[in-house]
Amino acid sequence: MHKLISELTRLYLFEEQQQYVDGDGGAQALTPAVLARHLAGEQTVAVQLVTGSGLARALVLEFGGKGGGEAHWSALCTIANAVQHELDLPAPAVSISGTAFQLWLSLATPVPAAQARQFVQLLRATFLPASTDILAVAPPAYVEQVALPPCLQPSGKWAAFIHPSMGAAFVDEPGLDMPPPPAAQLGFLESLRSINPAQFAQALAKLQGHAGLAGAAPEPISAAPVAVPALLPASASSAAPGLLLQDATLEDIVRWLHARNIEPTFRHRLP
């Protein structure tokens, strides 16, 4: 559990300023002890991703609400692949919250929350234009308060980080019936890298340029939704180049998990 907390902190949390919302709606310090109980399913808390001084280092987009899960998953894949292939940013993490899919971008250096919101709005406007059916059904929401995975939700379902190639298996029910192994959660996170300041500035300028905002040089960006490929971390994609979600076999997924010492479990739906 200590290693999992370390990885979550490395990617998404502030070591000293991180807070959560208690049962009375007040802000409390998110200590390692509180976080450990949260991850163990003993106490679920809502982590505040924006500090009191208005800084954010985790950008979380949630794809859920009304409409089918397939549209939510398709929208997530469109944004996540654009982040990597059009904006040249590190691979994001993917999670299921119990009710929705979530996409996690980690910033090495915090940015003002207003800038984080603008970045997400420009992502949505550029890669999920209003004319698409995906945006009408599943507009991603920018989340500033979240139950950090893995955790037990009030519904009795577990939120968890997942291997992106397995996302389509959760379109009907984006949650787990049992707690995910901490080693598996660690395996999904430890190869991820944060977006450094230069990468973020370049990507933001590219998005602003595409939107025609003042002070930004326009750069061509493909606004059309891309196909739905697997979203593999760099180390995984080099082992399985060109692997597409629709082409991923069970053996492909198991091989990737075993390479990270993760023993997979699968749900089976009987006819």
Side-chain angles (χ1 to χ4, degrees):
M1 188 68 74
H2 174 72
K3 289 184 178 180
L4 179 56
I5 290 176
S6 295
E7 283 301 300
L8 290 169
T9 301
R10 176 180 70 85
L11 290 168
Y12 308 119
L13 302 179
F14 294 89
E15 293 192 25
E16 297 180 356
Q17 305 179 58
Q18 202 73 47
Q19 295 183 320
Y20 72 95
V21 180
D22 62 20
D24 298 325
Q28 304 291 337
L30 184 67
T31 64
V34 171
L35 185 53
R37 291 195 297 272
H38 169 83
L39 299 178
E42 300 172 3
Q43 172 190 9
T44 302
V45 300
V47 177
Q48 293 183 333
L49 299 179
V50 177
T51 67
S53 57
L55 295 176
R57 66 170 304 239
L59 308 186
V60 180
L61 285 72
E62 185 164 277
F63 300 77
K66 296 181 180 179
E70 291 185 5
H72 301 159
W73 177 243
S74 180
L76 181 147
C77 288
T78 297
I79 292 292
N81 283 289
V83 162
Q84 295 174 83
H85 303 307
E86 301 292 344
L87 300 179
D88 297 320
L89 297 177
V94 177
S95 71
I96 47 177
S97 72
T99 58
F101 292 103
Q102 294 172 332
L103 192 68
W104 295 71
L105 283 74
S106 169
L107 301 179
T109 300
V111 300
Q115 194 175 59
R117 295 187 196 102
Q118 182 192 44
F119 185 86
V120 172
Q121 290 168 356
L122 290 172
L123 272 179
R124 180 172 54 202
T126 301
F127 299 110
L128 291 177
S131 60
T132 67
D133 292 337
I134 292 176
L135 184 58
V137 175
Y142 172 55
V143 178
E144 296 188 357
Q145 184 174 299
V146 66
L148 184 69
C151 66
L152 180 62
Q153 299 285 30
S155 64
K157 297 292 182 182
W158 278 81
F161 290 101
I162 63 170
H163 182 275
S165 289
M166 300 177 67
F170 295 96
V171 294
D172 294 329
E173 187 180 25
L176 297 177
D177 296 326
M178 60 185 65
Q185 295 295 282
L186 178 64
F188 293 139
L189 298 176
E190 60 187 358
S191 64
L192 299 180
R193 296 293 175 263
S194 297
I195 300 168
N196 66 44
Q199 289 173 320
F200 183 78
Q202 183 179 30
L204 181 59
K206 187 178 290 188
L207 291 170
Q208 290 172 334
H210 182 269
L213 299 182
E219 294 191 35
I221 296 180
S222 172
V226 298
V228 185
L231 315 174
L232 300 176
S235 58
S237 59
S238 62
L243 181 66
L244 298 181
L245 182 63
Q246 61 265 32
D247 298 328
T249 66
L250 183 61
E251 290 75 14
D252 292 326
I253 296 171
V254 170
R255 189 182 307 112
W256 190 92
L257 295 174
H258 280 172
R260 285 151 183 78
N261 296 317
I262 301 171
E263 187 59 36
T265 58
F266 298 94
R267 299 184 307 172
H268 299 275
R269 176 167 298 185
L270 298 177

